[in-house]
Amino acid sequence: YKHWVDVVNWASNLNPIPSKLSGNLETRIKELQSSAGNDKRKFFREAVRLVQDEIRYMGVEMGVYSHRATHPEKVYNQRYGDCKDKSLLLASILRAGGITAHLALVNTRAGSEIINYLPAPTVFNHVVVVANLNGREVWVDPTIAYQGGDASEIAFPNYKKALVIKSRNNKLSDTETGMTGDVICFERYVVTSEKDKVKLSIETRYSANQADFVRAQLASLNHEALCKLNLDFYAKIYPEIEMLDSLKIKDDRDKNELTITGSYYITNFFQKDSVSGRYMAGFYANYIKEQLPSIAPGRKHPIFVNYPFDLDYSIQVELPEGWNIPKESSSISRDAYYFGRHVFVVGN
């Protein structure tokens, strides 16, 4: 195409946002409006939650439906749809509730490099929604399920560039990533003697997009399976580990903070060195290790890590007679990442 506006016109004609809805969908919208009253932010949040959580993400992209979206009323009734189906449904609900909303095309792999492409519908592989909420632009990916946070704090992937399907629009827009969260992991080992069981308590707190990711994982697991998954994870390091109590999950979806706590006993934690006769044990920052890719010897090509990603990992080890180790700090700082490590003693 000659210009981006030509792609906009193509998309507008192919997937117009309906001005009037009926049936079960119209009834549900009225229920949302009644619940929200005059609060547009509340209506927006509930509309997003409806499409993300109640409509399963699944595509049957054959024939004309490779690009044409299914009508929102049908998508709502069948309870599933692909990215363009879910996006058109959300935009339709928002407009019915008096909120300006548009579809937007993105390329999930190319990111900002799409500015170097010639205008064409085929340079995009995903559809999202952008809305004007009380004068603020808010981006939503309806295919992500179980997102938390306030209406203006919904995490949005780092797609970087998008073509908003809006009349006479002839340029790519910068997308906002929304709230990006962090992971705070605290492990506490309590050692009473070199031969007794060691108690391990773990608390991991996830916020914003990190909470969204874990929340979606939890939705696909029952509690028993989740406990086994965590136990198996630590059993790779400590074969004789047993769960002291089942995992506790606290999910504040409005604040978008999710906390998981667990406690374990580890038998034969210390290993006696046959030469020195000293008892030895190691402590591993497991969550950090999980984020680092395996690199084959001799590799020359670049690698990538999750971004943005922020992890604060603390290991606290309590001994009955205190410690005799020096304070230590080290760090690695690059354009793409920062890693810091600090060792210190407080009492025992």
Side-chain angles (χ1 to χ4, degrees):
Y1 289 25
K2 286 187 177 181
H3 308 285
W4 288 115
V5 70
D6 299 328
V7 182
V8 169
N9 293 336
W10 166 84
S12 298
N13 293 328
L14 188 65
N15 294 314
I17 300 176
S19 58
K20 182 170 176 55
L21 300 169
S22 60
N24 294 332
L25 181 54
E26 181 186 29
T27 302
R28 183 64 182 277
I29 292 172
K30 289 180 178 178
E31 291 174 355
L32 293 180
Q33 289 176 308
S34 176
S35 174
N38 295 322
D39 191 339
K40 288 284 176 58
R41 293 175 66 89
K42 185 176 181 181
F43 177 85
F44 176 86
R45 195 65 192 87
E46 291 305 313
V48 171
R49 192 163 291 182
L50 185 162
V51 177
Q52 287 187 330
D53 297 1
E54 296 184 26
I55 310 300
R56 186 158 44 98
Y57 176 42
M58 188 184 82
V60 183
E61 301 172 6
M62 300 170 62
V64 67
Y65 292 105
S66 62
H67 292 85
R68 187 185 299 279
T70 305
H71 194 278
E73 292 172 11
K74 183 177 180 181
V75 175
Y76 178 77
N77 290 329
Q78 70 188 16
R79 316 304 278 181
Y80 69 85
D82 61 16
C83 64
K84 56 187 177 294
D85 298 334
K86 287 173 65 98
S87 292
L88 186 60
L89 173 60
L90 177 58
S92 301
I93 294 173
L94 293 177
R95 285 197 181 185
I99 297 174
T100 302
H102 301 280
L103 302 182
L105 307 179
V106 299
N107 187 311
T108 58
R109 292 186 291 270
S112 57
E113 287 298 312
I114 202 169
I115 63 175
N116 299 317
Y117 290 22
L118 293 175
T122 50
V123 304
F124 301 102
N125 65 356
H126 194 46
V127 185
V128 296
V129 172
V130 59
N132 187 304
L133 187 60
N134 297 333
R136 178 177 175 180
E137 196 176 72
V138 180
W139 294 82
V140 180
D141 188 336
T143 65
I144 302 174
Y146 305 106
Q147 287 196 287
D150 184 67
S152 59
E153 297 176 346
I154 300 174
F156 185 76
N158 195 24
Y159 296 145
K160 295 187 178 180
K161 291 289 184 180
L163 181 65
V164 179
I165 309 307
K166 183 179 180 181
S167 179
R168 295 190 294 276
N169 179 36
N170 194 33
K171 64 177 182 179
L172 296 167
S173 300
D174 293 321
T175 64
E176 293 187 10
T177 57
M179 295 289 290
T180 55
D182 55 19
V183 180
I184 298 177
C185 184
F186 179 79
E187 294 182 347
R188 177 173 178 250
Y189 295 82
V190 178
V191 180
T192 53
S193 78
E194 66 272 19
K195 296 181 180 180
D196 290 337
K197 291 181 179 180
V198 171
K199 184 179 180 181
L200 169 61
S201 303
I202 306 168
E203 178 178 291
T204 311
R205 195 210 73 184
Y206 308 87
S207 64
N209 62 320
Q210 298 296 337
D212 294 338
F213 177 74
V214 175
R215 190 180 295 112
Q217 286 186 314
L218 295 179
S220 64
L221 291 170
N222 60 43
H223 194 73
E224 183 180 352
L226 177 65
C227 291
K228 184 179 186 304
L229 196 66
N230 277 264
L231 184 62
D232 290 345
F233 177 79
Y234 284 96
K236 294 176 184 177
I237 304 167
Y238 309 115
E240 296 183 62
I241 191 172
E242 57 186 294
M243 186 166 278
L244 180 59
D245 198 3
S246 62
L247 295 175
K248 302 290 189 300
I249 301 172
K250 181 182 178 182
D251 187 4
D252 188 332
R253 195 163 177 183
D254 291 333
K255 289 184 178 180
N256 209 9
E257 291 184 352
L258 191 150
T259 304
I260 300 177
T261 57
S263 53
Y264 307 85
Y265 271 139
I266 305 172
T267 304
N268 294 324
F269 182 79
F270 289 91
Q271 301 298 317
K272 188 174 183 180
D273 186 275
S274 60
V275 178
S276 66
R278 300 176 67 185
Y279 285 90
M280 314 285 287
F283 301 92
Y284 303 90
N286 306 295
Y287 212 120
I288 294 177
K289 183 182 178 183
E290 289 291 302
Q291 301 305 315
L292 301 178
S294 298
I295 304 174
R299 181 185 175 99
K300 302 295 183 182
H301 303 294
I303 60 170
F304 77 90
V305 293
N306 287 335
Y307 181 88
F309 186 81
D310 188 4
L311 171 63
D312 187 305
Y313 197 107
S314 300
I315 299 175
Q316 178 174 301
V317 186
E318 298 179 17
L319 292 182
E321 298 178 1
W323 290 85
N324 182 25
I325 56 174
K327 190 175 182 180
E328 179 187 336
S329 289
S330 59
S331 65
I332 305 171
S333 184
R334 301 285 186 269
D335 291 341
Y337 64 89
Y338 169 82
F339 170 81
R341 175 179 178 270
H342 310 280
V343 182
F344 55 92
V345 174
V346 178
N348 66 338

